[in-house]
Amino acid sequence: MSSVEHRLKELDIVLPPSQPPLANYVSCVRSGNLIFTSGAGCFVDGQPLYTGRLGRDLSVEQGYEAAQVTALHLLSVIKAEIGSLDRVERIVKMLGLVSSADDFYEQPQVINGASDLLVQIFGEKGKHARSALGTSVLPMNLPVEIELIAEVKADEE
């Protein structure tokens, strides 16, 4: 068992199956040793875990959970692309969008759900640069959308 898979098992985490894109794009693109994911949301069994805006329809705790679920989906996308999460050298950058009520200012606390999870799974390799932004709406009324950039080990020749 790989070290990342072992860590997932210790944390009692099961990665969801990688889902196909919802429109005319791909889930990720590899350029050299970097993987750029498309934006993803908090889907469980093909359905949104939550919908609505933070600060109006959802609590920070629900947003935090939505960010965690989204991060797991992105890890599934990366794993499908490279075969094993042990090939991740580091999580480089995260962009987190939070659908927010006009007076909601806790976007960083919501996106911490994804950041905290990545550090739990990857340790130091999971620490990343990050932006956490508020927006008025997201597709399908999702509360969170996240993109990742990950550095991966070079393909062996």
Side-chain angles (χ1 to χ4, degrees):
M1 180 182 303
S2 77
S3 61
V4 174
E5 287 178 13
H6 185 262
R7 184 69 184 137
L8 290 170
K9 189 172 183 171
E10 286 178 345
L11 295 169
D12 199 27
I13 294 172
V14 176
L15 291 180
S18 184
Q19 295 184 345
L22 299 174
N24 190 17
Y25 61 91
V26 294
S27 297
C28 68
V29 170
R30 182 170 181 173
S31 181
N33 290 346
L34 295 177
I35 302 285
F36 297 81
T37 71
S38 294
C42 58
F43 289 91
V44 175
D45 298 326
Q47 299 298 315
L49 175 64
Y50 296 112
T51 58
R53 289 186 182 177
L54 275 291
R56 184 184 76 190
D57 308 308
L58 300 169
S59 67
V60 170
E61 294 76 21
Q62 289 170 311
Y64 185 97
E65 181 183 6
Q68 287 181 319
V69 167
T70 302
L72 291 175
H73 172 72
L74 290 168
L75 291 180
S76 290
V77 166
I78 292 170
K79 183 177 179 181
E81 179 69 18
I82 63 174
S84 169
L85 292 177
D86 282 333
R87 297 192 57 217
V88 173
E89 290 284 349
R90 96 168 289 142
I91 304 298
V92 177
K93 173 79 169 143
M94 177 187 297
L95 170 63
L97 301 171
V98 179
S99 181
S100 304
D102 291 342
D103 59 349
F104 183 78
Y105 306 105
E106 297 177 79
Q107 291 83 4
Q109 290 83 348
V110 169
I111 299 302
N112 279 347
S115 294
D116 292 347
L117 184 67
L118 292 172
V119 172
Q120 285 180 319
I121 293 169
F122 292 102
E124 288 296 312
K125 293 179 179 184
K127 292 184 178 178
H128 51 273
R130 183 182 90 176
S131 299
L133 305 173
T135 185
S136 59
V137 295
L138 287 169
M140 300 177 65
N141 198 25
L142 291 170
V144 171
E145 183 173 329
I146 296 174
E147 297 177 4
L148 288 179
I149 301 171
E151 181 184 6
V152 299
K153 293 178 183 171
D155 288 330
E156 296 178 9
E157 300 187 22

